[in-house]
């Protein structure tokens, strides 16, 4: 097996492990955070973003040894899509208490009804590609230095 | 547990990003798996993303077997279906979700991600709080 795939597997295993450990894999925990009853999830997202940030800024401009890809930031132009997508996502997150990664981990901890939730997410993704993609994104702020 | 979980998520990012330069995000897998069913859906990095999806599920299973027990949510199926659909549609529209925008995007100090995360937090907090106040059952 290619080393690259081994890396993806290890990273995914740790990602799922961390999501399960943090409680995000339980929709009840996420919903209680979203009702501001328990602010713990901020302590999940922020350290993860800060650690990711260290590596993103440290390696910027260098090349990744395994793929020879130039390390890039994750910056996209801000457009109408960012705002509309955020509103739709926020509504769905508030209704279900599940975001994609946490939903995958939720299946992993035995939460079998979430299989239906993830299929619904895939239908949502498919809807965009099949019907909404023709709408232009109307870029509001260009911010694309990778 | 929250902080430890967050640190582990950061380490998972490093393990992917440092050797390969790939920026992981969970919602990419949604389109990639859906692309098996329609040629109109782009399946870029499909193999990578399907593997990442399976590994994420398996990682959570490992945690459950080692430190916890099986969990089944009390949240009703209609909420998972309606909410899940909107989450999938929104994530692909905005090009990312809580992991892509929330971890890598915020880490890049990207305007697109700061705006996206601010919007989802406000909208989801209002939605979840309002549903609870209106007495909508889990």
């Amino acid at each position: 097996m290619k080393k690259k795939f081994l890396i993806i597997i290890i990273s995914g295993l740790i990602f799922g492990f961390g999501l399960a450990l943090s409680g995000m894999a339980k929709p009840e925990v996420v919903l209680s955070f979203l009702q501001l009853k328990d602010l713990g999830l901020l302590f999940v997202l922020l350290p993860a973003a800060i650690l990711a940030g260290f590596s993103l800024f440290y390696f910027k401009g260098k090349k990744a040894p395994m793929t020879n890809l130039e390390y890039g930031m994750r910056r996209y132009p801000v457009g109408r899509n960012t705002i509309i997508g955020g509103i739709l996502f926020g509504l769905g997150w508030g209704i279900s208490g599940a975001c994609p990664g946490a939903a995958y981990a939720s299946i992993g901890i035995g939460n079998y009804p979430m299989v239906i939730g993830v299929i619904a997410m895939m239908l949502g993704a498919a809807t965009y590609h099949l019907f909404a993609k023709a709408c232009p994104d109307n870029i509001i702020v260009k911010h694309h230095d990778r | 547990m929250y902080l430890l979980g967050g640190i582990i998520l950061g380490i998972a990012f490093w393990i992917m990003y440092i050797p390969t330069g790939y920026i992981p995000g969970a919602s990419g897998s949604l389109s990639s798996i859906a692309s098996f069913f329609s040629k109109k859906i782009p399946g870029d990095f499909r193999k990578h993303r399907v593997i990442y999806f399976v590994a994420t599920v398996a990682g959570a299973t490992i945690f459950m077997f080692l430190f916890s027990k099986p969990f089944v949510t009390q949240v009703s199926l209609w909420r998972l279906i309606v909410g899940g659909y909107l989450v999938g549609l929104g994530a692909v529209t905005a090009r990312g979700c809580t992991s892509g925008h929330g971890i890598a995007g915020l880490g890049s100090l990207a305007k697109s991600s700061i705006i996206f995360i601010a919007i989802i937090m406000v909208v989801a907090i209002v939605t979840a709080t309002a549903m609870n106040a209106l007495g909508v059952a889990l």
Side-chain angles (χ1 to χ4, degrees):
Chain A
M1 184 189 282
K2 276 194 207 161
K3 255 199 224 159
K4 205 166 66 181
F5 289 109
L6 192 63
I7 292 289
I8 294 172
I9 291 169
I10 296 169
S11 173
L13 285 173
I14 296 174
F15 182 58
F17 188 96
L19 285 167
L21 180 137
S22 69
M24 279 197 80
K26 297 180 177 174
E28 281 85 342
V29 174
V30 176
L31 288 174
S32 113
F33 164 72
L34 293 174
Q35 292 165 26
L36 305 178
K37 290 173 183 165
D38 171 4
L39 299 182
L41 289 194
L42 280 182
F43 296 98
V44 180
L45 194 60
L46 294 179
I50 291 167
L51 290 180
F54 284 142
S55 59
L56 285 155
F57 280 91
Y58 181 79
F59 289 103
K60 191 180 177 185
K62 301 186 179 76
K63 285 205 165 158
M66 209 173 268
T67 56
N68 217 26
L69 272 179
E70 192 179 318
Y71 288 113
M73 294 279 182
R74 193 188 188 286
R75 289 177 179 161
Y76 295 149
V78 179
R80 204 172 54 171
N81 66 308
T82 315
I83 292 157
I84 297 172
I87 293 170
L88 293 170
F89 188 100
L91 278 170
W93 198 29
I95 292 170
S96 63
C99 57
Y104 309 161
S106 201
I107 294 173
I109 61 170
N111 186 16
Y112 60 87
M114 195 56 88
V115 174
I116 308 283
V118 170
I119 292 172
M121 288 179 188
M122 287 171 190
L123 289 174
T127 302
Y128 176 83
H129 291 298
L130 298 178
F131 303 108
K133 214 180 174 182
C135 308
D137 284 339
N138 274 9
I139 290 167
I140 297 167
V141 182
K142 231 178 178 139
H143 200 271
H144 209 129
D145 59 323
R146 287 188 61 96
Chain B
M1 278 300 134
Y2 292 125
L3 186 61
L4 182 60
I7 291 169
I8 293 174
L9 298 183
I11 292 171
F13 177 88
W14 286 350
I15 288 174
M16 172 90 82
Y17 184 70
I18 294 171
T20 66
Y22 294 154
I23 295 181
S27 58
S29 302
L30 297 172
S31 305
S32 292
I33 295 174
S35 75
F36 284 108
F37 301 97
S38 166
K39 283 194 176 128
K40 287 182 185 164
I41 300 172
D44 20 317
F45 289 103
R46 183 157 81 182
K47 207 167 164 189
H48 301 63
R49 285 171 165 170
V50 172
I51 292 172
Y52 188 63
F53 167 80
V54 174
T56 303
V57 174
T61 306
I62 292 171
F63 172 83
M64 187 264 288
F65 276 122
L66 291 180
F67 302 109
S68 181
K69 52 187 189 328
F71 168 86
V72 178
T73 186
Q74 299 301 308
V75 176
S76 47
L77 203 53
W78 80 264
R79 290 181 70 148
L80 301 181
I81 294 171
V82 174
Y85 181 82
L86 292 171
V87 161
L89 180 60
V92 178
T93 305
R95 310 221 164 84
C97 61
T98 339
S99 57
H101 275 305
I103 299 175
L106 289 187
S108 303
L109 299 178
K111 270 185 206 145
S112 48
S113 298
I114 295 169
I115 291 171
F116 176 79
I117 293 296
I119 293 174
I120 68 164
M121 286 290 175
V122 171
V123 175
I125 287 169
V126 169
T127 306
T129 308
M131 285 181 73
N132 187 48
L134 293 171
V136 181
L138 267 191

